[in-house]
């Protein structure tokens, strides 16, 4: 009896110790979450020089990342993400130990230590006006034993000391619109030539003494035929320019202070030339390249200034810069695309007919065309020159090619995610037994015994490693079938490159990727950009034999009136099912809550002229849509003019699937006092479980839950700049809650002395927004909760009994809303990049805010901290309800960073997806990096954790049973003995 | 007891009644009445127009008698026109708002004392309205976005399904959101609920019951800045902390009492068994212990089962 009690107590105490913890333990990292690092599309690359070892390459990217990559494996050695407004213009290696970057239009020059990426120095370059920038790191130029770095930016030339970043001298060129083209150092002298253009017709050349910054000479001449912005430096004194019509090549020679021009029509170089020719940026001695259509022609400029065609390639080609392989020997590479691979050719600059290297590399079509190539040489084992090439493809991927094979590749399109949607995985087919996929019983038991050892601290380091690897593989989390908890899904990701990826939520691997044909550059569509992803077809009736598909909406250019493109992608296989270019533009896509008989979701596309187009274009869909025509409304926010307009559809269609629309309401913000800076709406798929909120004194408040709630934040136009640009008196922030059906302003509130940037999230019946308080010099977060007063009298029991309540009556936007709002503000320490809120399957679990902090981490903050009912001294009843005493600032608990020690560099968005398990939500944060985790806002109250030790439970039960038997036998024996006595 | 019930009943009655009364927190200006001779009306048949005053206290709208307002502040008096449209028709004047423009000390201008005179429908308009009700179409109104220089940047438009305002009379409710002399938006609709499906019903009397409200922006509650307060309450509060609400002995110590009770009960039952066992004679095995120890059986390990 006593033993039993003791064992029971032991069990109790064990259970109380293992109460679930909010944060992670160290060994739980990576079990449910994954993190992937990317850099973005490479803009420029510099290989390490001879002195610094040859194992690394430094790249700068369009995501403003500078990174050092391992040449063997493509891993990131170090990486720095500069701010979103700090674009890198130039990158080079100085003195064999520093990486020099010029960024922010030539105003910030930084030096990074090559081996570890530590910043060595930073110099701010000032100038009178913005201009193009250029960076030159001369190899042999020294001023007082100090290496000089020359940076041109903001109309000034700066010489900066390479050792400590001091500005040695500065020369203002005093030319208003001088656009620098090249900075040339004549070998063996201290003279620097700057060549560039003023406007589109004037050529300027400056000669400057690099030691003192003295302007020695300035020549200027008008270019006959104009200038198109493309120029190629052929030698240190010759520049080739394409004229503005793209039909004539002008050779400019600027030797000895004389500027001479000679013009050659492109048609004399290239037969059957039509259209516009482009100059390729190529730095090859004596040769320039002209691109016409898909052809690339290499033209040599002879010493006398004559032009002769050297070679012509009939494919889209990328050409590398020149690489000096030995004294006076220059090599360069060009790569062109074949149908099933790429051809890499390396040639010696002087000897055109001889190929140093010619390789064909097999590659699938998914990477598109070759965009950039950088070459690097090495000495082979047989002492000959070998070459490796770093290739940037159309899908933003980065490849290293050596010895005719792809050594490594990086999918850097994933650094520029535009939109994310999830897709369910296939249902587990019958016939495939679960047991076959799961491990055998013995292995299962073995695993649990190992875990038990770990729990009881008996495990050796080897065992610990085995446990960790078991956990990582655990329970088939990367299987390609649905699980009953809904943790396994596919993340369908649309990227800026026009490539769509499917990532598995279990381990983050790329299940498939597809470069959409419709999103590739073509004659008809110059600059396609992806806009949105929508679930198009989600089969429920035929879930076993039909694959779901997604709709990718894009348009041919950045402007609103560019023509739209649609493509449909199978989310299991990634196959592009079909694509179509539309004859109208796409400004807005409205996913309708209707489906046609084949379970395709109806979408309404609004074009720039305000016409609505129904997709899919089938009579079936039209039949579903027509009865609902009068109930479809939408709105547009014109931030520039400060007008929000609401629209409805007209009954009569202009053609079968297009509908005219008409404005039904408008809200006009006075432009002298308000400027729209943020709008936010509820997520369409959000689920609200309870409509009422029971407050402490047994009272109920009804939530005002409307899918048509729009949050708008406006600021004073003066205060729309950066923080600190305006005084508290002249800045204010006004927030609005607007019903988007009728255009009613439900609530309006002014924060005096506050300004943007505003980040906001709308969920259920509340809005939370983040802004800056100029008076308090702090960031603030405010909450507005909206309650419906018109249903408040439903609390009367008699009415409920007599059925006189209006709980079941339909809610209409045309009824006058009687709402009550509650609001409260709190200080918050961080500036915020993005705010999201957790979403669960049924909306029962309490909510947590997910805040993307300035440190690129995701912080979970309980919604209870942002409750307008908080007061300094809550009553006992309120305390029991869970109301936290009011404090003036929101707490930041270090354990509640859901990204734990990781950073999602360049964080741009946080997406939450409910799992099937009510307690759990899936979180995907994206920026330059990707991060995914599973999160239980109120802990996993509805399931045991994955690392729950079943073996321990089993052992305990066995021990208990054994103890019962033993004590029973013992007592029996004793009793017998007593009786015999 | 009986009195309590009666009180409760009265209270419920009161609260139900009070729920009927519209509670409008942001109510700023009072309501208007139409007066055709005061306000220059473009239409001559505005004689038929009717208007209603509404205030916080009144539960049902009651027509107010005509009032003349003084001409002393006429310099700051302004007017702006309400225009309406039927479905997709063009806008035409439908009424006039007049208000006082109050200039505050620091130069800001605010609109107050809004009055509204509604023109009655002409026969043609009645016909258009009937067709709107039949087709469940929109009745649209618009106001200038700037009352000093109409229409300002653009018109502020809003619409309502014609069936919503068509009751016994034509009931309409305006909430005009202003910012200085600018009108941002108008909440327009019927004062009563208008739930779907809307019945197609024509008004029995072509009279307008208009309620108007002017609304200005609300001040956001300030962030609690109570560092001093916290310090103060902290000092005072210490005394309070010392005396937490009194809880019963049982509520505080039940977790100790129950196991203790169990042990005691266990011991008692053992002690009751013991004398019976001892009675037949001295136990053999573990018995060399002193008899004194035997007397204190519950504490002796040897005696325990």
């Amino acid at each position: 009896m006593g033993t039993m009690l003791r064992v029971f107590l032991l069990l109790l105490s064990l259970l109380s110790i293992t109460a679930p913890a909010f944060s992670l333990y160290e060994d739980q990292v990576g079990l449910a979450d994954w993190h992937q690092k990317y850099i973005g599309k490479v803009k420029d690359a510099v290989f390490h020089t001879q002195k610094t070892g040859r194992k690394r390459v430094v790249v700068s990217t369009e995501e403003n990342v500078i990174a050092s990559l391992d040449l063997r494996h493509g891993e990131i050695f170090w990486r720095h993400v500069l701010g979103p407004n700090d674009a890198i213009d130039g990158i080079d290696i100085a003195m064999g130990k520093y990486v020099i970057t010029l960024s922010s239009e030539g105003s910030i020059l930084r030096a990074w230590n090559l081996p570890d990426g530590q910043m060595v120095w930073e110099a701010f370059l000032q100038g009178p006006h913005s201009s193009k920038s250029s960076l030159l790191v001369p190899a042999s130029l020294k001023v007082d034993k100090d290496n000089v770095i020359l940076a041109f930016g903001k109309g000034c030339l700066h010489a900066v000391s390479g050792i400590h970043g001091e500005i040695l001298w500065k020369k203002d060129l005093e030319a208003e619109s001088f656009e620098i083209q090249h900075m040339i150092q004549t070998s063996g002298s201290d003279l620097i030539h700057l060549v560039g253009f003023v406007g589109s017709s004037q050529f300027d050349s400056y000669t400057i003494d690099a030691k003192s910054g003295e302007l020695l000479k300035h020549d200027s001449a008008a270019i006959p035929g104009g200038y198109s912005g493309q120029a190629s430096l052929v030698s240190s004194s010759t520049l080739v320019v394409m004229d503005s019509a793209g039909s004539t090549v002008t050779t400019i020679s600027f030797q000895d202070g004389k500027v001479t021009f000679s013009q050659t029509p492109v048609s004399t170089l290239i037969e059957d030339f039509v259209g516009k020719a482009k100059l390729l940026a190529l730095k090859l001695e004596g040769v320039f390249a002209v691109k016409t259509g898909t052809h690339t022609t290499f033209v040599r400029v002879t010493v006398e200034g004559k032009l002769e065609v050297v070679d012509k390639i009939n494919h889209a080609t990328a050409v590398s810069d020149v690489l000096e392989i030995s004294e006076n020997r220059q090599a360069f590479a060009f790569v062109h695309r074949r149908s099933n691979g790429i051809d890499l050719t390396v040639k010696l600059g002087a000897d055109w007919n001889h190929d140093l290297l010619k390789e064909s590399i097999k590659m699938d079509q998914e990477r598109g065309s070759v965009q950039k190539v950088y070459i690097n040489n090495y000495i082979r084992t047989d002492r000959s020159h070998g070459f490796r090439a770093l290739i940037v493809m159309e899908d933003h991927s980065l490849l290293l090619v050596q010895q005719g094979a792809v050594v490594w590749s990086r999918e850097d399109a994933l650094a520029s995610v535009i939109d994310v949607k999830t897709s369910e995985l296939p249902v587990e087919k019958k016939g495939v037994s679960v047991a076959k996929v799961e491990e055998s019983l013995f292995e299962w038991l073995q695993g649990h015994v190992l875990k038990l050892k770990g729990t009881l601290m008996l495990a050796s380091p080897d065992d610990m490693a085995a446990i960790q690897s078991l956990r990582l593989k655990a329970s088939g989390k990367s299987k390609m079938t649905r699980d009953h908890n809904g943790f396994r899904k596919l993340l369908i990701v649309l990227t800026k490159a026009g490539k769509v990826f499917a990532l598995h939520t279990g381990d983050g691997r790329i299940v498939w990727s597809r470069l959409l044909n419709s999103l590739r550059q073509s004659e008809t569509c110059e600059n396609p950009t992806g806009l949105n992803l929508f679930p198009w077809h989600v089969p429920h009736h035929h879930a076993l034999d039909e694959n779901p598909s997604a709709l990718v909406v894009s348009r041919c250019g950045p402007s609103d009136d560019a023509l739209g493109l649609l493509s449909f992608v199978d989310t299991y296989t990634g196959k592009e099912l079909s694509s179509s270019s539309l004859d109208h533009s796409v400004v807005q896509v409205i996913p309708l809550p209707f489906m046609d008989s084949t379970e395709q979701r109806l979408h309404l596309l609004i074009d720039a002229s305000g016409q609505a187009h129904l997709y899919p274009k089938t009579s079936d869909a039209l039949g579903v849509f027509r009865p609902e025509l009068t109930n479809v409304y939408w709105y547009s926010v014109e931030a520039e003019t400060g007008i929000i307009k609401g629209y409805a559809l007209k009954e009569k269609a202009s053609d079968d699937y297009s509908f005219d629309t008409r404005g039904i309401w408008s809200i006009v913000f006075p432009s002298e006092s308000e400027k729209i800076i943020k709008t936010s709406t509820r997520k369409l798929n959000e689920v609200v479980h309870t409509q009422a909120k029971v407050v402490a004194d047994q009272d109920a408040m009804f939530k005002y839950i409307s899918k048509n709630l729009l949050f708008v934040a406006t600021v004073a136009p003066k205060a729309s700049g950066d923080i600190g640009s305006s005084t508290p008196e002249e800045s204010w922030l006004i927030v609005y809650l607007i019903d988007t059906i009728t255009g009613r302003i439900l609530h309006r509130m002014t924060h005096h002395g506050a300004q943007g940037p505003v980040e906001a999230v709308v969920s259920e019946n509340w809005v939370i927004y983040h802004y800056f308080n100029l008076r308090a010099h702090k960031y603030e977060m405010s909450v507005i909760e909206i309650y419906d007063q018109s249903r408040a009298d439903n609390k009367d029991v008699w009415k409920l009994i007599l059925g006189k309540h209006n709980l079941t009556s339909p809610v209409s936007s045309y009824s006058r809303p009687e709402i009550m709002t509650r609001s409260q503000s709190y200080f918050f320490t961080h500036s915020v990049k993005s705010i999201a809120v957790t979403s669960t399957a049924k909306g029962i679990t309490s909510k947590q805010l997910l805040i993307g902090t300035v440190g690129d981490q995701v912080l979970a903050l309980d919604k209870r901290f942002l409750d307008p009912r908080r007061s300094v001294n809550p009553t006992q009843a309120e305390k029991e309800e869970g109301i936290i005493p009011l404090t003036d600032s929101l707490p930041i608990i270090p354990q509640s960073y859901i990204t734990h020690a990781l950073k999602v560099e360049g964080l741009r968005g946080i997406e939450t997806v409910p799992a099937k398990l009510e307690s759990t939500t899936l979180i995907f944060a994206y920026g330059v990096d990707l991060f995914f985790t599973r999160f239980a806002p109120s802990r996993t109250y509805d399931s045991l954790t994955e690392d729950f030790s079943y073996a321990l439970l089993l052992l305990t039960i066995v021990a208990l049973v054994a103890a019962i038997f033993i004590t029973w036998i013992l007592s029996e024996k004793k009793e017998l003995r007593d009786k015999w006595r | 007891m009986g009195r309590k019930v009666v009180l409760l009943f009265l209270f419920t009655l009161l609260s139900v009644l009070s729920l009927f009364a519209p509670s409008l927190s942001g109510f700023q200006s009072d309501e208007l009445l139409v007066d055709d001779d005061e306000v220059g009306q473009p239409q001559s048949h505005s004689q038929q127009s009717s208007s209603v005053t509404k205030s916080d206290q009144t539960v049902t709208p009651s027509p107010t008698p005509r009032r003349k307002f003084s001409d002393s502040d006429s310099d700051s008096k302004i007017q702006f026109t309400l225009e309406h449209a039927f479905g997709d028709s063009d806008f035409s004047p439908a009424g006039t708002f007049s208000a006082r423009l109050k200039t505050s000390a620091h130069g800001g201008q605010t609109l107050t004392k809004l009055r509204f005179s509604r023109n009655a429908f002409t026969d043609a308009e009645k016909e258009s309205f009937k067709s709107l009700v039949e087709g469940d179409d929109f009745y649209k109104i618009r106001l200038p976005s700037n009352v000093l220089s109409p229409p300002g940047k653009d018109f502020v438009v809003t619409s309502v399904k014609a069936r919503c305002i068509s009751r016994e009379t034509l009931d309409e409710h305006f909430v005009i959101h202003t910012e200085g002399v600018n009108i941002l938006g108008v909440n327009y609709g019927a004062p009563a609920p208008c739930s779907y499906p809307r019945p197609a019903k024509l008004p029995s009397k072509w009279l307008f019951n208009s309620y108007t409200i002017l609304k200005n922006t609300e001040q956001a509650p300030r962030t609690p800045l109570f560092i001093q307060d916290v310090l103060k309450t902290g000092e005072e509060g210490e005394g309070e902390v010392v005396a937490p609400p009194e809880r019963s002995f049982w509520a505080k110590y039940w977790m100790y009492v129950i196991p203790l009770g169990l042990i005691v009960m266990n011991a008692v039952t053992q002690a009751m068994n013991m004398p019976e066992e001892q009675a037949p004679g001295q136990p053999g095995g573990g018995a060399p212990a002193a008899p004194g120890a035997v007397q204190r059986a519950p504490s002796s390990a040897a005696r325990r089962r």
Side-chain angles (χ1 to χ4, degrees), chain B residues 60-291:
Chain B
T60 47
S62 59
T64 352
R66 288 182 177 187
R67 246 189 317 169
K68 295 243 172 196
F69 55 83
S70 71
D71 293 339
S72 60
D73 286 339
S74 56
D75 55 336
S76 64
K77 200 174 78 181
I78 50 149
Q79 285 187 3
F80 49 98
T81 327
L82 172 81
E83 292 176 300
H84 63 180
F86 301 89
D88 294 327
S89 77
D90 288 335
F91 283 96
S92 58
T96 315
F97 283 97
S98 55
R100 300 282 183 85
L101 195 62
K102 209 166 74 182
T103 309
S104 65
H106 50 271
Q109 290 173 309
T110 45
L111 287 173
T112 53
K113 301 233 163 103
L114 187 73
R115 283 156 180 269
F116 178 49
S117 83
R118 186 65 141 118
N119 305 344
F121 277 156
T122 62
D123 288 340
E125 285 170 339
K126 278 181 193 167
E127 282 309 308
S128 338
F129 193 81
K130 273 180 198 164
S131 64
L132 286 189
V133 171
E134 276 154 26
D136 194 17
D137 209 349
F138 290 107
Y139 175 66
K140 257 189 233 182
I141 58 153
R142 73 175 186 188
L143 286 171
S145 68
N146 188 312
V147 295
L148 286 185
S149 56
K153 197 156 73 174
D154 202 346
F155 282 101
V156 171
V157 186
T158 186
S159 328
V160 71
K161 290 276 184 185
R163 287 181 184 180
C164 285
I165 57 168
S166 164
R167 304 274 148 158
E168 282 302 305
T169 52
L170 294 164
D171 295 350
E172 54 181 5
H173 187 279
F174 295 86
V175 182
I176 303 177
H177 290 267
T178 61
E179 172 69 50
V181 294
N182 295 301
I183 295 176
L184 301 176
V186 188
N187 298 3
Y188 178 65
C194 177
S195 54
Y196 193 82
R198 296 173 279 266
K201 185 187 158 207
L202 283 173
S204 46
K205 272 186 271 178
W206 291 91
L207 284 175
F208 275 106
N209 263 339
S210 310
Y211 306 81
T212 57
I213 292 172
L214 252 164
K215 242 185 181 176
N216 226 312
T217 178
E218 273 172 42
Q219 282 285 350
R222 293 195 47 181
T223 315
L225 257 178
F226 49 80
I227 299 145
Q228 288 93 353
D229 300 358
V230 168
L231 285 176
K232 265 186 230 159
T233 49
E235 286 159 15
E236 295 163 11
E238 273 174 37
E240 290 168 30
V241 173
V242 175
E246 202 55 45
R247 284 192 295 174
S248 69
F249 174 82
W250 182 247
K252 269 193 272 187
Y253 301 115
W254 63 270
M255 64 285 262
Y256 306 112
V257 173
I258 289 175
L260 205 75
L262 280 172
I263 290 167
V264 169
M265 272 169 70
N266 196 11
V268 168
T269 44
Q270 275 195 357
M272 280 169 76
N273 291 341
M274 209 64 65
E276 291 166 25
E277 283 175 22
Q278 278 173 350
Q282 288 294 324

Side-chain angles (χ1 to χ4, degrees), chain A residues 682 686-689 703 763-764 766 837-840 842-850 861-865 935 937-938:
Chain A
R682 264 180 72 185
E686 194 188 58
V687 189
V688 179
H689 185 254
K703 296 174 182 173
S763 172
E764 287 199 0
W766 48 262
V837 66
T838 57
S839 57
T840 51
K842 301 270 189 298
I844 301 168
T845 311
S846 66
K847 304 247 172 197
Q848 296 234 1
L849 288 181
L850 301 170
L861 182 69
D862 202 321
K863 166 69 179 62
R864 288 191 302 151
F865 285 111
F935 183 61
S938 305

Side-chain angles (χ1 to χ4, degrees), chain A residues 224-236:
Chain A
Y227 161 60
S228 63
Q230 302 156 12
S232 179
L233 191 71
V234 182
S235 73
S236 61

Side-chain angles (χ1 to χ4, degrees), chain A residues 591-868:
Chain A
L592 298 169
F594 314 119
M595 276 188 278
D596 68 2
S597 58
T598 56
E599 292 189 283
Q600 288 184 334
R601 304 214 172 161
L602 268 56
H603 288 72
L604 209 56
L605 271 61
I606 314 291
D607 66 11
S609 63
Q611 278 225 323
H613 306 267
L614 178 71
Y615 288 88
K617 286 194 170 183
T618 58
S619 55
D620 184 21
L622 200 63
V624 174
F625 181 64
R626 265 213 189 274
E628 304 290 342
L629 195 70
T630 53
N631 291 335
V632 175
Y633 300 85
W634 84 95
Y635 66 94
S636 68
V637 180
E638 295 161 22
E640 298 82 44
T641 53
I643 298 177
I644 301 178
K645 281 183 179 163
Y647 302 89
L649 291 183
K650 272 188 192 172
E651 292 276 356
K652 39 190 186 291
S654 48
D655 78 59
D656 277 355
Y657 303 101
S658 303
F659 300 90
D660 287 332
T661 62
R662 53 175 174 181
I664 52 168
W665 57 264
S666 67
I667 291 172
V668 182
F669 296 107
S671 44
E672 68 273 13
S673 63
E674 291 181 46
K675 184 173 184 286
I676 301 172
I677 55 163
K678 179 78 187 176
T679 59
S680 186
T681 52
R682 264 180 72 185
K683 264 172 87 171
L684 283 174
N685 55 0
E686 194 188 58
V687 189
V688 179
H689 185 254
T690 39
Q691 303 238 331
K693 184 173 179 176
V694 178
V695 294
D697 44 353
Q698 303 300 309
D699 201 1
M701 289 162 91
F702 287 86
K703 296 174 182 173
Y704 180 79
I705 295 160
S706 165
K707 294 240 172 202
N708 307 311
L709 198 66
L710 172 71
F711 168 83
V712 179
T714 66
V715 289
K718 269 187 183 172
S720 56
D722 287 340
I723 291 164
S725 58
S726 61
T727 62
E729 285 71 36
E730 61 190 18
S731 56
W732 53 82
L733 170 79
I734 309 177
V735 294
Y736 295 87
L737 294 172
I738 294 167
D739 181 281
T740 57
I741 304 293
T742 58
R744 287 177 203 266
I745 299 175
L746 299 174
H747 186 57
R748 177 157 68 128
M749 198 163 78
T750 311
H751 294 267
H752 283 288
Q755 72 165 107
V758 172
E759 283 298 329
V761 61
V762 186
S763 172
E764 287 199 0
N765 66 326
W766 48 262
V767 186
I768 287 171
Y769 51 100
H770 177 272
Y771 54 92
F772 190 74
N773 185 336
L774 283 167
R775 289 222 168 86
H777 311 288
K778 278 177 184 173
Y779 285 100
E780 263 183 23
M781 275 171 107
S782 285
V783 58
I784 304 176
E785 287 192 357
I786 314 141
Y787 292 98
D788 194 349
Q789 291 290 88
S790 65
R791 301 163 70 186
D793 44 351
N794 290 332
K795 284 177 290 191
D796 190 348
V797 183
W798 284 109
K799 280 196 168 181
L800 285 176
I801 292 168
L802 297 171
K804 287 201 172 166
H805 58 87
N806 58 358
L807 285 175
T808 49
S809 65
V811 178
S812 167
S813 277
Y814 286 107
S815 302
R816 192 163 60 94
E818 292 171 47
I819 61 158
M820 183 191 68
T821 55
R822 295 261 189 110
S823 169
Q824 211 166 54
S825 306
Y826 320 88
F827 293 124
F828 188 69
T829 320
H830 288 308
S831 67
V832 157
K833 286 191 171 174
S834 170
I835 309 185
V837 66
T838 57
S839 57
T840 51
K842 301 270 189 298
I844 301 168
T845 311
S846 66
K847 304 247 172 197
Q848 296 234 1
L849 288 181
L850 301 170
I851 300 171
T853 64
V854 69
D856 292 322
Q857 293 207 302
V858 179
L859 176 76
L861 182 69
D862 202 321
K863 166 69 179 62
R864 288 191 302 151
F865 285 111
L866 288 134
D867 185 340

Side-chain angles (χ1 to χ4, degrees), chain A residues 115-182:
Chain A
D116 56 4
Q118 299 281 344
M119 187 157 75
V120 184
W121 51 257
E122 186 175 37
F124 293 94
L125 313 178
Q126 312 275 316
H129 51 82
S130 62
S131 70
K132 258 173 95 172
S133 64
S134 177
L135 174 71
L136 177 69
V137 181
S140 58
L141 187 66
K142 292 210 171 190
V143 177
D144 301 336
K145 293 180 188 169
D146 197 349
N147 280 62
V148 177
I149 292 154
L150 294 163
F152 183 86
K154 304 237 170 207
C156 288
L157 181 67
H158 301 262
V160 180
S161 152
I163 293 169
H164 38 69
E166 239 173 86
I167 297 174
L168 300 173
W169 51 260
K170 175 182 167 184
K171 180 73 200 164
D172 190 350
L173 292 183
E174 286 159 6
E176 262 305 302
S177 55
F178 176 71
E179 291 289 314
I180 192 159
Q181 196 63 45
H182 283 290

Side-chain angles (χ1 to χ4, degrees), chain A residues 62-329:
Chain A
E62 287 182 357
E63 301 295 321
N64 304 342
V65 176
I66 159 169
S68 171
L69 302 179
D70 183 351
L71 274 182
R72 293 270 150 76
H73 311 287
E75 286 157 7
I76 299 168
F77 268 122
W78 54 261
R79 178 181 64 154
H80 291 287
V81 182
L82 308 184
N85 305 318
D86 201 5
I88 302 166
D89 306 316
I91 173 172
D92 210 339
I93 290 179
M95 300 177 289
K97 58 178 180 181
Y98 294 158
V99 180
I100 307 290
T101 59
L102 183 67
S103 59
S104 287
E105 294 180 319
S107 60
I108 305 174
L109 189 69
R110 294 188 181 98
W112 315 86
N113 195 16
L114 198 46
D116 56 4
Q118 299 281 344
M119 187 157 75
V120 184
W121 51 257
E122 186 175 37
F124 293 94
L125 313 178
Q126 312 275 316
H129 51 82
S130 62
S131 70
K132 258 173 95 172
S133 64
S134 177
L135 174 71
L136 177 69
V137 181
S140 58
L141 187 66
K142 292 210 171 190
V143 177
D144 301 336
K145 293 180 188 169
D146 197 349
N147 280 62
V148 177
I149 292 154
L150 294 163
F152 183 86
K154 304 237 170 207
C156 288
L157 181 67
H158 301 262
V160 180
S161 152
I163 293 169
H164 38 69
E166 239 173 86
I167 297 174
L168 300 173
W169 51 260
K170 175 182 167 184
K171 180 73 200 164
D172 190 350
L173 292 183
E174 286 159 6
E176 262 305 302
S177 55
F178 176 71
E179 291 289 314
I180 192 159
Q181 196 63 45
H182 283 290
M183 209 166 0
I184 311 146
Q185 184 203 9
T186 25
S187 50
S189 76
D190 292 342
L191 298 182
I192 303 293
H193 296 285
L194 300 182
V195 292
F197 303 89
V198 174
S200 63
S201 59
Q202 192 190 325
F203 171 77
D204 276 64
S205 132
Y206 296 86
T207 310
I208 288 171
D209 183 356
K211 295 226 154 142
S212 61
E214 201 183 330
L215 178 63
L216 299 175
K217 208 159 51 185
H218 174 208
D219 302 310
S220 168
I223 320 165
Y227 161 60
S228 63
Q230 302 156 12
S232 179
L233 191 71
V234 182
S235 73
S236 61
S237 61
T238 318
L239 193 67
V240 176
V241 173
M242 182 63 70
D243 75 341
S244 42
S247 60
T248 316
V249 175
T250 311
T251 318
I252 308 170
S253 158
F254 46 91
Q255 209 154 23
D256 308 327
K258 274 184 281 177
V259 182
T260 51
F261 300 98
S262 71
Q263 284 182 289
T264 318
V266 179
S267 50
T268 60
L269 298 171
I270 304 159
E271 291 161 29
D272 58 274
F273 161 73
V274 274
K276 260 190 160 182
K278 274 187 192 165
L279 271 186
L280 287 182
L282 183 69
K283 284 184 206 154
L284 191 57
E285 187 73 34
V287 175
F288 66 92
V290 181
K291 192 177 177 190
T292 49
T294 56
H295 304 260
T296 309
T297 314
F298 293 92
V299 184
R300 188 193 300 278
V301 184
T302 58
V303 186
E304 304 89 58
K306 281 188 180 165
L307 307 183
E308 53 186 50
V309 175
V310 191
D311 198 2
K312 192 171 170 185
I313 300 164
N314 296 341
H315 300 280
T317 306
V319 187
S320 79
D321 280 352
V322 173
L323 177 77
E324 197 127 334
I325 47 172
S326 59
E327 277 299 303
N328 296 326
R329 289 225 302 169

